[in-house]
Amino acid sequence: MSDSEHQYFMQLALDLAQQGVGRTAPNPPVGAVIVNSGVVVGRGFHPQAGEPHAEIFALRQAAEKAQGADIYVTLEPCSHHGKTPPCTDALIAAGIKSVYLGVFDPNPQVAGKGIKKLQEAGIHVQTGILETLCRRLISPFKKYMNTGLPFTIYKAAMTADGNTATTTGDSRWVSGEESRLQVHRFRDRVEAIMVGIGTVLNDDPLLNTRLPNGGGRDPLRVVVDSQLQISPECRMLTQESSATTLIATISTEDKKISALQSVGAEVVVFPADSDRVPLPALWKELGQRNVQTLLLEGGATLAAAALDNGLIDRLMLFVAPKLLGGSSGCGIFSGSGCMKMSTAIKLEDVRYEQVGEDLLITGDIEPCLQD
């Protein structure tokens, strides 16, 4: 097959993998397509941990047509026994002729072992098909495997002259309706969403997922509230939602904690080494809860603290075609920032997308797509 044909079939696998994004933790999202004589005969994706992997679903659909066929998989097939049997064994038993991969598995239990096992069975293996896109897909899984911490995406919106609110604090709405819908689609695909207490006090947000026709899943809500200023009567705690609200604090005031627990909130008290919640400890706690992707929607103070601690991996910035005219001092990060342009933090793998009237700029703060 030509390079364009290989890319076409891998793109189909990537599209399938997207259906599992946000549902597979602690596993990665994976898609697989089986092709026999140029025709797709099997498709599959990993829906959630404990369920069969993408290759197994594709093999089931292909049945006997898998004999002598090619398979396109976004991630190296597993070769170890976990909650499910090795996918390499299933591919060998089915008589797959060639395996085309996007990227190696960063899991040390796999890490090239799957490819070696397939090659030893006489199966042709080719890697690097749409590699950049496949690496981007598993960025959260790779971060989690390497550090045990969630991959953190900071989402913000600003006007074309760099403001997130007016001088009176009015921020509804900076971005357009299409951008706000895009954010709800993204909330549906992460395990947790985080804001600081300032956002709660100013906006009283629901922090849920609101998609057309009532679709979508609410992520875990996380509020960084060092002194427990949140009201038990705020909207996020009184709404009907299947998701929990976790309040991170250093306060040990039993009365406040009990009041919040009585309305269903979970309060996690962290040791106080300053007047604020230690963010690295909070991120570690979320990782232990299998939060693979965290959407940070907090204000400039929380965002700056997360950036200073090296906890932000990706920026999603909606730029609206609006001017406030003048300086409100409301940027997406607080603090003094860099003193010289030469020390500015650079974005990697930058993408631009038109969302309604707004421009969405996405870029990685660290070169997380590299090995």
Side-chain angles (χ1 to χ4, degrees):
M1 290 188 184
S2 65
D3 289 345
S4 61
E5 288 174 309
H6 288 315
Q7 293 171 6
Y8 170 77
F9 291 123
M10 186 60 76
Q11 185 62 60
L12 292 181
L14 280 163
D15 293 343
L16 286 164
Q18 289 293 333
Q19 298 182 55
V21 171
R23 268 66 175 174
T24 62
N27 297 341
V30 181
V33 170
I34 297 176
V35 180
N36 195 323
S37 301
V39 178
V40 175
V41 295
R43 303 170 189 254
F45 70 95
H46 182 44
Q48 63 182 22
E51 290 289 317
H53 292 181
E55 299 94 318
I56 304 304
F57 282 112
L59 286 171
R60 288 176 181 176
Q61 189 177 99
E64 71 279 356
K65 294 179 181 178
Q67 180 72 38
D70 304 326
I71 186 168
Y72 292 80
V73 191
T74 56
L75 184 68
E76 177 183 4
C78 65
S79 58
H80 66 287
H81 283 270
K83 292 184 179 179
T84 59
C87 290
T88 50
D89 291 356
L91 296 174
I92 293 168
I96 288 291
K97 179 184 67 175
S98 299
V99 177
Y100 296 94
L101 303 175
V103 289
F104 288 84
D105 195 324
N107 185 344
Q109 290 184 293
V110 182
K113 296 176 183 177
I115 291 176
K116 182 179 179 182
K117 191 170 186 178
L118 292 169
Q119 291 174 330
E120 289 175 345
I123 295 176
H124 170 72
V125 179
Q126 181 176 334
T127 62
I129 312 297
L130 294 185
E131 183 174 5
T132 297
L133 295 179
C134 291
R135 286 189 184 281
R136 191 182 297 162
L137 174 69
I138 65 161
S139 292
F141 175 69
K142 181 180 179 181
K143 171 73 178 290
Y144 186 81
M145 287 300 305
N146 291 341
T147 67
L149 303 177
F151 185 88
T152 303
I153 302 169
Y154 175 38
K155 186 278 296 181
M158 70 179 190
T159 60
D161 53 354
N163 291 300
T164 60
T166 67
T167 53
T168 63
D170 181 25
S171 61
R172 294 193 176 182
W173 294 101
V174 174
S175 57
E177 185 175 350
E178 294 87 348
S179 295
R180 298 197 296 275
L181 178 59
Q182 183 93 324
V183 170
H184 283 281
R185 292 194 186 103
F186 199 74
R187 286 180 178 180
D188 178 54
R189 295 154 66 86
V190 301
E191 287 82 27
I193 180 174
M194 179 185 291
V195 296
I197 185 59
T199 298
V200 177
L201 296 178
N202 292 333
D203 300 337
D204 193 16
L206 289 167
L207 292 188
N208 59 8
T209 300
R210 300 185 295 278
L211 293 176
N213 302 317
R217 179 199 63 175
D218 290 349
L220 169 71
R221 293 177 289 272
V222 182
V223 179
V224 181
D225 182 8
S226 297
Q227 306 306 323
L228 280 187
Q229 297 174 269
I230 189 170
S231 168
E233 298 178 356
C234 71
R235 294 200 302 162
M236 77 169 67
L237 297 180
T238 56
Q239 67 178 317
E240 291 187 9
S241 173
S242 59
T244 304
T245 298
L246 184 156
I247 301 171
T249 186
I250 58 173
S251 172
T252 57
E253 294 187 53
D254 291 338
K255 186 175 181 180
K256 286 185 177 181
I257 292 174
S258 296
L260 292 168
Q261 291 174 332
S262 69
V263 293
E266 180 181 0
V267 180
V268 178
V269 180
F270 290 88
D273 55 5
S274 68
D275 60 347
R276 294 184 178 181
V277 170
L279 296 187
L282 173 55
W283 259 247
K284 183 177 179 180
E285 171 72 22
L286 294 176
Q288 292 172 345
R289 293 169 180 251
N290 285 337
V291 173
Q292 197 173 101
T293 306
L294 168 66
L295 181 61
L296 178 61
E297 291 197 22
T301 300
L302 177 58
L307 186 68
D308 289 344
N309 281 278
L311 297 170
I312 299 179
D313 301 286
R314 182 170 293 165
L315 172 69
M316 288 179 59
L317 179 61
F318 291 90
V319 182
K322 301 174 182 178
L323 299 174
L324 292 183
S327 176
S328 68
C330 297
I332 64 173
F333 295 105
S334 65
S336 57
C338 298
M339 296 295 103
K340 295 182 178 180
M341 191 60 68
S342 60
T343 62
I345 299 171
K346 295 181 180 179
L347 298 180
E348 305 281 341
D349 190 31
V350 180
R351 291 94 71 190
Y352 305 90
E353 178 185 353
Q354 191 77 30
V355 182
E357 293 184 347
D358 302 330
L359 176 65
L360 171 59
I361 304 173
T362 305
D364 293 340
I365 290 180
E366 295 181 357
C368 60
L369 301 182
Q370 297 180 5
D371 288 325

